Amino acid sequence: QVQLVESGGGLVQAGGSLRLSCAASGRTFSNYAMGWFRQAPGKEREFVATISWGVGSVYYADYADSVKGRFTISRDNAKNTVYLLMNNLEAEDTAVYYCAAASKRLVPTSLHEYDYWGQGTQVTVSS
């Protein structure tokens, strides 16, 4: 089992920034690809970003088109934590953001590829 706890959400004005954190416990964090998803009211949960486990010292990342160039995912294996830095936030980014862990694919982008999920943290962007 992997337990995931998100933090860092809040209310921010459009154009502002937030950094989300997701602390993991349980199994070996470094063996998992980590992802961020979000769910806006009345919408399905959608992929935001993912970062692979290390291949040697190399980590691979992928992003949804809607956040490319604005969001950056990173991980600190020593702290068992994955981050999502969100810049130039837009009202459309308002959602509950979820952290997830996956063990079977290097760069997973689909919900069904993830094994463990956090409870989510609310991000609200005012326009």
Side-chain angles (χ1 to χ4, degrees), residues 3-60:
Q3 292 78 41
L4 302 171
V5 179
E6 302 95 336
S7 61
L11 175 64
V12 63
Q13 289 188 333
S17 298
L18 278 176
R19 190 180 78 159
L20 305 183
S21 299
C22 173
S25 61
R27 295 189 177 178
T28 307
F29 175 75
S30 59
N31 290 345
Y32 288 84
M34 299 299 298
W36 286 97
F37 289 75
R38 66 186 182 187
Q39 188 166 17
K43 294 188 177 181
E44 294 185 350
R45 193 171 299 189
E46 64 176 6
F47 167 73
V48 175
T50 186
I51 187 166
S52 71
W53 58 75
V55 181
S57 60
V58 178
Y59 293 84
Y60 299 92

Short mmCIF file of all heavy atoms in Angstrom, two decimals, residues 3-60:
data_model
loop_
_atom_site.label_atom_id
_atom_site.label_comp_id
_atom_site.label_asym_id
_atom_site.label_seq_id
_atom_site.Cartn_x
_atom_site.Cartn_y
_atom_site.Cartn_z
N GLN A 3 0.33 5.37 0.73
CA GLN A 3 -0.55 6.43 1.19
C GLN A 3 -0.05 7.76 0.64
O GLN A 3 1.15 8.04 0.71
CB GLN A 3 -0.60 6.49 2.72
CG GLN A 3 -1.27 5.27 3.36
CD GLN A 3 -0.37 4.05 3.40
OE1 GLN A 3 0.83 4.14 3.68
NE2 GLN A 3 -0.93 2.89 3.11
N LEU A 4 -0.96 8.55 0.13
CA LEU A 4 -0.62 9.82 -0.51
C LEU A 4 -1.42 10.95 0.14
O LEU A 4 -2.64 10.83 0.28
CB LEU A 4 -0.91 9.76 -2.00
CG LEU A 4 -0.21 8.65 -2.78
CD1 LEU A 4 -0.76 8.56 -4.20
CD2 LEU A 4 1.29 8.88 -2.80
N VAL A 5 -0.74 12.02 0.49
CA VAL A 5 -1.39 13.17 1.10
C VAL A 5 -0.97 14.44 0.37
O VAL A 5 0.21 14.80 0.39
CB VAL A 5 -1.05 13.28 2.60
CG1 VAL A 5 -1.73 14.51 3.20
CG2 VAL A 5 -1.46 12.02 3.34
N GLU A 6 -1.95 15.10 -0.24
CA GLU A 6 -1.68 16.34 -0.97
C GLU A 6 -1.79 17.54 -0.03
O GLU A 6 -2.54 17.52 0.95
CB GLU A 6 -2.68 16.52 -2.12
CG GLU A 6 -2.71 15.40 -3.14
CD GLU A 6 -3.78 14.38 -2.86
OE1 GLU A 6 -4.20 14.24 -1.69
OE2 GLU A 6 -4.21 13.70 -3.81
N SER A 7 -1.08 18.60 -0.40
CA SER A 7 -1.18 19.86 0.32
C SER A 7 -0.78 20.98 -0.63
O SER A 7 -0.24 20.73 -1.71
CB SER A 7 -0.27 19.87 1.55
OG SER A 7 1.08 19.71 1.18
N GLY A 8 -1.06 22.22 -0.20
CA GLY A 8 -0.62 23.36 -0.97
C GLY A 8 -1.70 24.05 -1.79
O GLY A 8 -1.45 25.07 -2.42
N GLY A 9 -2.89 23.48 -1.80
CA GLY A 9 -3.97 24.12 -2.53
C GLY A 9 -4.42 25.39 -1.84
O GLY A 9 -4.00 25.72 -0.73
N GLY A 10 -5.28 26.13 -2.54
CA GLY A 10 -5.80 27.36 -1.96
C GLY A 10 -6.43 28.24 -3.00
O GLY A 10 -6.71 27.81 -4.12
N LEU A 11 -6.65 29.48 -2.62
CA LEU A 11 -7.27 30.49 -3.49
C LEU A 11 -6.18 31.43 -4.01
O LEU A 11 -5.38 31.95 -3.22
CB LEU A 11 -8.32 31.28 -2.71
CG LEU A 11 -8.97 32.46 -3.44
CD1 LEU A 11 -9.76 31.97 -4.64
CD2 LEU A 11 -9.87 33.23 -2.47
N VAL A 12 -6.15 31.63 -5.31
CA VAL A 12 -5.14 32.49 -5.92
C VAL A 12 -5.78 33.27 -7.07
O VAL A 12 -6.74 32.79 -7.69
CB VAL A 12 -3.95 31.65 -6.42
CG1 VAL A 12 -4.37 30.69 -7.51
CG2 VAL A 12 -2.79 32.52 -6.87
N GLN A 13 -5.27 34.44 -7.33
CA GLN A 13 -5.77 35.24 -8.44
C GLN A 13 -5.21 34.72 -9.77
O GLN A 13 -4.12 34.14 -9.81
CB GLN A 13 -5.39 36.70 -8.26
CG GLN A 13 -6.15 37.39 -7.14
CD GLN A 13 -5.89 38.88 -7.12
OE1 GLN A 13 -4.84 39.34 -7.54
NE2 GLN A 13 -6.85 39.65 -6.61
N ALA A 14 -5.94 34.96 -10.82
CA ALA A 14 -5.47 34.59 -12.15
C ALA A 14 -4.11 35.23 -12.41
O ALA A 14 -3.89 36.41 -12.05
CB ALA A 14 -6.48 35.02 -13.20
N GLY A 15 -3.22 34.45 -13.00
CA GLY A 15 -1.85 34.90 -13.22
C GLY A 15 -0.90 34.57 -12.11
O GLY A 15 0.32 34.70 -12.26
N GLY A 16 -1.43 34.12 -10.99
CA GLY A 16 -0.61 33.78 -9.84
C GLY A 16 -0.06 32.36 -9.92
O GLY A 16 -0.23 31.66 -10.92
N SER A 17 0.61 31.96 -8.85
CA SER A 17 1.27 30.66 -8.79
C SER A 17 0.93 29.92 -7.50
O SER A 17 0.63 30.56 -6.48
CB SER A 17 2.79 30.84 -8.87
OG SER A 17 3.17 31.44 -10.08
N LEU A 18 0.98 28.62 -7.58
CA LEU A 18 0.86 27.75 -6.41
C LEU A 18 1.79 26.56 -6.61
O LEU A 18 2.05 26.16 -7.76
CB LEU A 18 -0.57 27.22 -6.25
CG LEU A 18 -1.63 28.09 -5.58
CD1 LEU A 18 -2.97 27.39 -5.62
CD2 LEU A 18 -1.25 28.47 -4.17
N ARG A 19 2.26 26.00 -5.51
CA ARG A 19 3.00 24.75 -5.58
C ARG A 19 2.29 23.71 -4.72
O ARG A 19 2.15 23.88 -3.51
CB ARG A 19 4.45 24.90 -5.11
CG ARG A 19 5.28 23.65 -5.40
CD ARG A 19 6.71 23.76 -4.96
NE ARG A 19 6.86 23.57 -3.53
CZ ARG A 19 7.99 23.21 -2.94
NH1 ARG A 19 9.08 23.00 -3.68
NH2 ARG A 19 8.06 23.07 -1.62
N LEU A 20 1.87 22.66 -5.37
CA LEU A 20 1.25 21.54 -4.67
C LEU A 20 2.33 20.52 -4.28
O LEU A 20 3.30 20.33 -5.01
CB LEU A 20 0.20 20.86 -5.54
CG LEU A 20 -0.91 21.74 -6.10
CD1 LEU A 20 -1.90 20.88 -6.89
CD2 LEU A 20 -1.60 22.51 -5.01
N SER A 21 2.10 19.89 -3.15
CA SER A 21 2.99 18.82 -2.69
C SER A 21 2.17 17.57 -2.44
O SER A 21 0.99 17.64 -2.08
CB SER A 21 3.70 19.22 -1.39
OG SER A 21 4.49 20.36 -1.59
N CYS A 22 2.82 16.44 -2.61
CA CYS A 22 2.18 15.16 -2.32
C CYS A 22 3.21 14.29 -1.59
O CYS A 22 4.22 13.91 -2.18
CB CYS A 22 1.72 14.48 -3.59
SG CYS A 22 1.11 12.80 -3.36
N ALA A 23 2.92 14.02 -0.32
CA ALA A 23 3.82 13.21 0.50
C ALA A 23 3.35 11.76 0.47
O ALA A 23 2.18 11.47 0.69
CB ALA A 23 3.84 13.74 1.92
N ALA A 24 4.30 10.86 0.20
CA ALA A 24 3.99 9.45 0.10
C ALA A 24 4.58 8.68 1.27
O ALA A 24 5.65 9.03 1.78
CB ALA A 24 4.53 8.89 -1.21
N SER A 25 3.89 7.64 1.65
CA SER A 25 4.39 6.72 2.68
C SER A 25 3.95 5.31 2.32
O SER A 25 3.03 5.12 1.52
CB SER A 25 3.88 7.11 4.07
OG SER A 25 2.47 7.05 4.11
N GLY A 26 4.63 4.36 2.90
CA GLY A 26 4.30 2.97 2.60
C GLY A 26 5.43 2.33 1.83
O GLY A 26 6.55 2.24 2.30
N ARG A 27 5.15 1.91 0.62
CA ARG A 27 6.14 1.22 -0.19
C ARG A 27 7.16 2.20 -0.76
O ARG A 27 7.05 3.41 -0.61
CB ARG A 27 5.44 0.44 -1.30
CG ARG A 27 4.57 -0.68 -0.76
CD ARG A 27 4.06 -1.58 -1.84
NE ARG A 27 3.29 -2.69 -1.29
CZ ARG A 27 2.70 -3.60 -2.02
NH1 ARG A 27 2.78 -3.56 -3.34
NH2 ARG A 27 2.02 -4.58 -1.44
N THR A 28 8.18 1.67 -1.41
CA THR A 28 9.31 2.47 -1.88
C THR A 28 8.86 3.49 -2.93
O THR A 28 8.51 3.13 -4.06
CB THR A 28 10.40 1.57 -2.46
OG1 THR A 28 10.74 0.58 -1.49
CG2 THR A 28 11.62 2.39 -2.82
N PHE A 29 8.89 4.74 -2.53
CA PHE A 29 8.42 5.83 -3.38
C PHE A 29 9.15 5.86 -4.71
O PHE A 29 8.53 6.08 -5.76
CB PHE A 29 8.62 7.15 -2.62
CG PHE A 29 8.29 8.38 -3.40
CD1 PHE A 29 6.97 8.72 -3.63
CD2 PHE A 29 9.30 9.20 -3.88
CE1 PHE A 29 6.66 9.88 -4.34
CE2 PHE A 29 9.00 10.35 -4.58
CZ PHE A 29 7.67 10.69 -4.81
N SER A 30 10.45 5.63 -4.70
CA SER A 30 11.24 5.77 -5.92
C SER A 30 10.89 4.74 -6.99
O SER A 30 11.31 4.89 -8.14
CB SER A 30 12.73 5.69 -5.58
OG SER A 30 13.03 4.45 -4.97
N ASN A 31 10.15 3.71 -6.63
CA ASN A 31 9.77 2.69 -7.60
C ASN A 31 8.50 3.02 -8.37
O ASN A 31 8.09 2.24 -9.24
CB ASN A 31 9.55 1.34 -6.88
CG ASN A 31 10.84 0.75 -6.37
OD1 ASN A 31 11.93 1.16 -6.76
ND2 ASN A 31 10.73 -0.21 -5.47
N TYR A 32 7.89 4.16 -8.06
CA TYR A 32 6.62 4.52 -8.66
C TYR A 32 6.73 5.73 -9.56
O TYR A 32 7.45 6.69 -9.27
CB TYR A 32 5.58 4.83 -7.57
CG TYR A 32 5.12 3.60 -6.83
CD1 TYR A 32 5.86 3.10 -5.77
CD2 TYR A 32 3.96 2.94 -7.20
CE1 TYR A 32 5.45 1.97 -5.08
CE2 TYR A 32 3.54 1.80 -6.51
CZ TYR A 32 4.29 1.33 -5.47
OH TYR A 32 3.88 0.20 -4.80
N ALA A 33 6.00 5.68 -10.67
CA ALA A 33 5.72 6.89 -11.41
C ALA A 33 4.65 7.66 -10.64
O ALA A 33 3.75 7.05 -10.06
CB ALA A 33 5.22 6.57 -12.81
N MET A 34 4.75 8.97 -10.65
CA MET A 34 3.82 9.80 -9.89
C MET A 34 3.10 10.76 -10.82
O MET A 34 3.72 11.35 -11.72
CB MET A 34 4.57 10.59 -8.82
CG MET A 34 5.30 9.72 -7.81
SD MET A 34 4.18 8.66 -6.87
CE MET A 34 3.16 9.87 -6.03
N GLY A 35 1.82 10.92 -10.59
CA GLY A 35 1.04 11.78 -11.46
C GLY A 35 0.15 12.74 -10.70
O GLY A 35 -0.12 12.55 -9.51
N TRP A 36 -0.28 13.76 -11.40
CA TRP A 36 -1.26 14.70 -10.89
C TRP A 36 -2.45 14.70 -11.86
O TRP A 36 -2.28 14.75 -13.08
CB TRP A 36 -0.70 16.11 -10.80
CG TRP A 36 0.27 16.31 -9.68
CD1 TRP A 36 1.63 16.26 -9.74
CD2 TRP A 36 -0.06 16.62 -8.32
NE1 TRP A 36 2.17 16.50 -8.51
CE2 TRP A 36 1.16 16.73 -7.62
CE3 TRP A 36 -1.25 16.81 -7.63
CZ2 TRP A 36 1.21 17.03 -6.25
CZ3 TRP A 36 -1.21 17.11 -6.27
CH2 TRP A 36 0.02 17.21 -5.60
N PHE A 37 -3.62 14.66 -11.28
CA PHE A 37 -4.87 14.74 -12.02
C PHE A 37 -5.71 15.84 -11.39
O PHE A 37 -5.42 16.28 -10.28
CB PHE A 37 -5.63 13.41 -11.97
CG PHE A 37 -4.99 12.32 -12.77
CD1 PHE A 37 -3.85 11.67 -12.32
CD2 PHE A 37 -5.52 11.94 -13.99
CE1 PHE A 37 -3.25 10.66 -13.07
CE2 PHE A 37 -4.94 10.93 -14.75
CZ PHE A 37 -3.80 10.29 -14.28
N ARG A 38 -6.75 16.27 -12.07
CA ARG A 38 -7.65 17.25 -11.50
C ARG A 38 -9.08 16.97 -11.93
O ARG A 38 -9.32 16.36 -12.98
CB ARG A 38 -7.23 18.66 -11.90
CG ARG A 38 -7.37 18.98 -13.37
CD ARG A 38 -6.78 20.36 -13.67
NE ARG A 38 -6.93 20.72 -15.07
CZ ARG A 38 -6.39 21.81 -15.62
NH1 ARG A 38 -5.66 22.65 -14.86
NH2 ARG A 38 -6.57 22.08 -16.88
N GLN A 39 -10.00 17.44 -11.10
CA GLN A 39 -11.41 17.26 -11.39
C GLN A 39 -12.15 18.53 -11.04
O GLN A 39 -12.19 18.93 -9.87
CB GLN A 39 -11.99 16.07 -10.63
CG GLN A 39 -13.39 15.71 -11.04
CD GLN A 39 -13.81 14.34 -10.53
OE1 GLN A 39 -13.19 13.77 -9.63
NE2 GLN A 39 -14.86 13.79 -11.12
N ALA A 40 -12.72 19.15 -12.05
CA ALA A 40 -13.53 20.35 -11.86
C ALA A 40 -14.99 19.94 -11.63
O ALA A 40 -15.39 18.84 -12.03
CB ALA A 40 -13.42 21.26 -13.08
N PRO A 41 -15.77 20.80 -11.02
CA PRO A 41 -17.18 20.47 -10.75
C PRO A 41 -17.91 20.09 -12.04
O PRO A 41 -17.83 20.81 -13.04
CB PRO A 41 -17.74 21.75 -10.15
CG PRO A 41 -16.56 22.41 -9.53
CD PRO A 41 -15.41 22.09 -10.43
N GLY A 42 -18.60 18.96 -12.02
CA GLY A 42 -19.38 18.52 -13.16
C GLY A 42 -18.57 17.92 -14.29
O GLY A 42 -19.13 17.61 -15.35
N LYS A 43 -17.27 17.77 -14.08
CA LYS A 43 -16.41 17.23 -15.14
C LYS A 43 -15.72 15.95 -14.67
O LYS A 43 -15.63 15.69 -13.47
CB LYS A 43 -15.38 18.27 -15.56
CG LYS A 43 -15.98 19.50 -16.23
CD LYS A 43 -14.90 20.40 -16.80
CE LYS A 43 -15.50 21.58 -17.53
NZ LYS A 43 -14.45 22.46 -18.11
N GLU A 44 -15.20 15.20 -15.62
CA GLU A 44 -14.47 13.99 -15.29
C GLU A 44 -13.06 14.35 -14.83
O GLU A 44 -12.51 15.40 -15.18
CB GLU A 44 -14.41 13.07 -16.51
CG GLU A 44 -15.76 12.53 -16.93
CD GLU A 44 -15.65 11.52 -18.06
OE1 GLU A 44 -14.55 11.39 -18.64
OE2 GLU A 44 -16.65 10.86 -18.36
N ARG A 45 -12.48 13.44 -14.08
CA ARG A 45 -11.10 13.62 -13.64
C ARG A 45 -10.19 13.54 -14.87
O ARG A 45 -10.34 12.65 -15.70
CB ARG A 45 -10.73 12.56 -12.61
CG ARG A 45 -9.45 12.85 -11.87
CD ARG A 45 -9.25 11.88 -10.73
NE ARG A 45 -10.32 11.97 -9.73
CZ ARG A 45 -10.29 11.37 -8.54
NH1 ARG A 45 -9.24 10.62 -8.21
NH2 ARG A 45 -11.30 11.48 -7.71
N GLU A 46 -9.23 14.46 -14.95
CA GLU A 46 -8.37 14.51 -16.13
C GLU A 46 -6.90 14.54 -15.75
O GLU A 46 -6.52 15.05 -14.69
CB GLU A 46 -8.70 15.73 -16.99
CG GLU A 46 -8.44 17.06 -16.33
CD GLU A 46 -8.70 18.25 -17.27
OE1 GLU A 46 -9.19 18.04 -18.39
OE2 GLU A 46 -8.39 19.39 -16.86
N PHE A 47 -6.10 14.04 -16.65
CA PHE A 47 -4.65 14.01 -16.48
C PHE A 47 -4.07 15.42 -16.53
O PHE A 47 -4.48 16.25 -17.37
CB PHE A 47 -4.04 13.16 -17.58
CG PHE A 47 -2.55 13.28 -17.72
CD1 PHE A 47 -1.71 12.71 -16.78
CD2 PHE A 47 -2.00 13.97 -18.78
CE1 PHE A 47 -0.34 12.82 -16.91
CE2 PHE A 47 -0.63 14.08 -18.92
CZ PHE A 47 0.20 13.52 -17.98
N VAL A 48 -3.11 15.69 -15.66
CA VAL A 48 -2.41 16.98 -15.66
C VAL A 48 -0.93 16.79 -15.97
O VAL A 48 -0.39 17.40 -16.90
CB VAL A 48 -2.57 17.69 -14.30
CG1 VAL A 48 -1.72 18.97 -14.27
CG2 VAL A 48 -4.03 18.00 -14.02
N ALA A 49 -0.26 15.95 -15.20
CA ALA A 49 1.19 15.77 -15.37
C ALA A 49 1.61 14.46 -14.74
O ALA A 49 0.95 13.94 -13.84
CB ALA A 49 1.95 16.92 -14.74
N THR A 50 2.74 13.93 -15.22
CA THR A 50 3.30 12.72 -14.66
C THR A 50 4.82 12.78 -14.72
O THR A 50 5.39 13.45 -15.60
CB THR A 50 2.78 11.47 -15.38
OG1 THR A 50 3.25 10.30 -14.70
CG2 THR A 50 3.25 11.42 -16.82
N ILE A 51 5.46 12.09 -13.80
CA ILE A 51 6.91 11.98 -13.79
C ILE A 51 7.26 10.53 -13.50
O ILE A 51 6.68 9.89 -12.62
CB ILE A 51 7.56 12.94 -12.79
CG1 ILE A 51 9.09 12.92 -12.92
CG2 ILE A 51 7.12 12.65 -11.36
CD1 ILE A 51 9.77 14.07 -12.21
N SER A 52 8.19 10.00 -14.26
CA SER A 52 8.53 8.58 -14.16
C SER A 52 9.36 8.28 -12.92
O SER A 52 9.84 9.17 -12.22
CB SER A 52 9.32 8.17 -15.40
OG SER A 52 10.62 8.75 -15.36
N TRP A 53 9.53 6.99 -12.65
CA TRP A 53 10.59 6.60 -11.73
C TRP A 53 11.92 6.82 -12.45
O TRP A 53 11.96 7.01 -13.66
CB TRP A 53 10.40 5.15 -11.27
CG TRP A 53 10.36 4.14 -12.37
CD1 TRP A 53 11.41 3.65 -13.11
CD2 TRP A 53 9.21 3.47 -12.88
NE1 TRP A 53 10.98 2.75 -14.03
CE2 TRP A 53 9.63 2.60 -13.91
CE3 TRP A 53 7.85 3.51 -12.57
CZ2 TRP A 53 8.75 1.79 -14.62
CZ3 TRP A 53 6.97 2.71 -13.27
CH2 TRP A 53 7.42 1.87 -14.29
N GLY A 54 13.01 6.80 -11.70
CA GLY A 54 14.28 7.07 -12.31
C GLY A 54 14.78 5.94 -13.19
O GLY A 54 14.69 4.77 -12.80
N VAL A 55 15.28 6.28 -14.35
CA VAL A 55 15.97 5.34 -15.22
C VAL A 55 17.45 5.75 -15.16
O VAL A 55 17.88 6.64 -15.91
CB VAL A 55 15.42 5.37 -16.66
CG1 VAL A 55 16.15 4.36 -17.52
CG2 VAL A 55 13.93 5.12 -16.65
N GLY A 56 18.16 5.14 -14.27
CA GLY A 56 19.45 5.70 -13.91
C GLY A 56 19.17 7.02 -13.21
O GLY A 56 18.39 7.08 -12.27
N SER A 57 19.74 8.08 -13.72
CA SER A 57 19.49 9.40 -13.14
C SER A 57 18.51 10.21 -13.97
O SER A 57 18.32 11.40 -13.73
CB SER A 57 20.82 10.16 -13.03
OG SER A 57 21.40 10.31 -14.31
N VAL A 58 17.88 9.59 -14.94
CA VAL A 58 16.99 10.30 -15.86
C VAL A 58 15.53 10.08 -15.44
O VAL A 58 15.12 8.95 -15.15
CB VAL A 58 17.19 9.82 -17.30
CG1 VAL A 58 16.22 10.54 -18.24
CG2 VAL A 58 18.63 10.07 -17.74
N TYR A 59 14.78 11.16 -15.43
CA TYR A 59 13.35 11.11 -15.15
C TYR A 59 12.61 11.70 -16.36
O TYR A 59 13.02 12.71 -16.91
CB TYR A 59 13.02 11.91 -13.89
CG TYR A 59 13.59 11.28 -12.65
CD1 TYR A 59 14.91 11.52 -12.27
CD2 TYR A 59 12.82 10.42 -11.87
CE1 TYR A 59 15.44 10.93 -11.14
CE2 TYR A 59 13.35 9.82 -10.74
CZ TYR A 59 14.66 10.07 -10.39
OH TYR A 59 15.19 9.49 -9.27
N TYR A 60 11.52 11.06 -16.72
CA TYR A 60 10.73 11.50 -17.86
C TYR A 60 9.43 12.11 -17.35
O TYR A 60 8.81 11.60 -16.41
CB TYR A 60 10.43 10.32 -18.77
CG TYR A 60 11.68 9.69 -19.34
CD1 TYR A 60 12.30 8.63 -18.70
CD2 TYR A 60 12.26 10.18 -20.50
CE1 TYR A 60 13.45 8.05 -19.19
CE2 TYR A 60 13.42 9.61 -21.01
CZ TYR A 60 14.01 8.55 -20.36
OH TYR A 60 15.15 8.00 -20.85
#
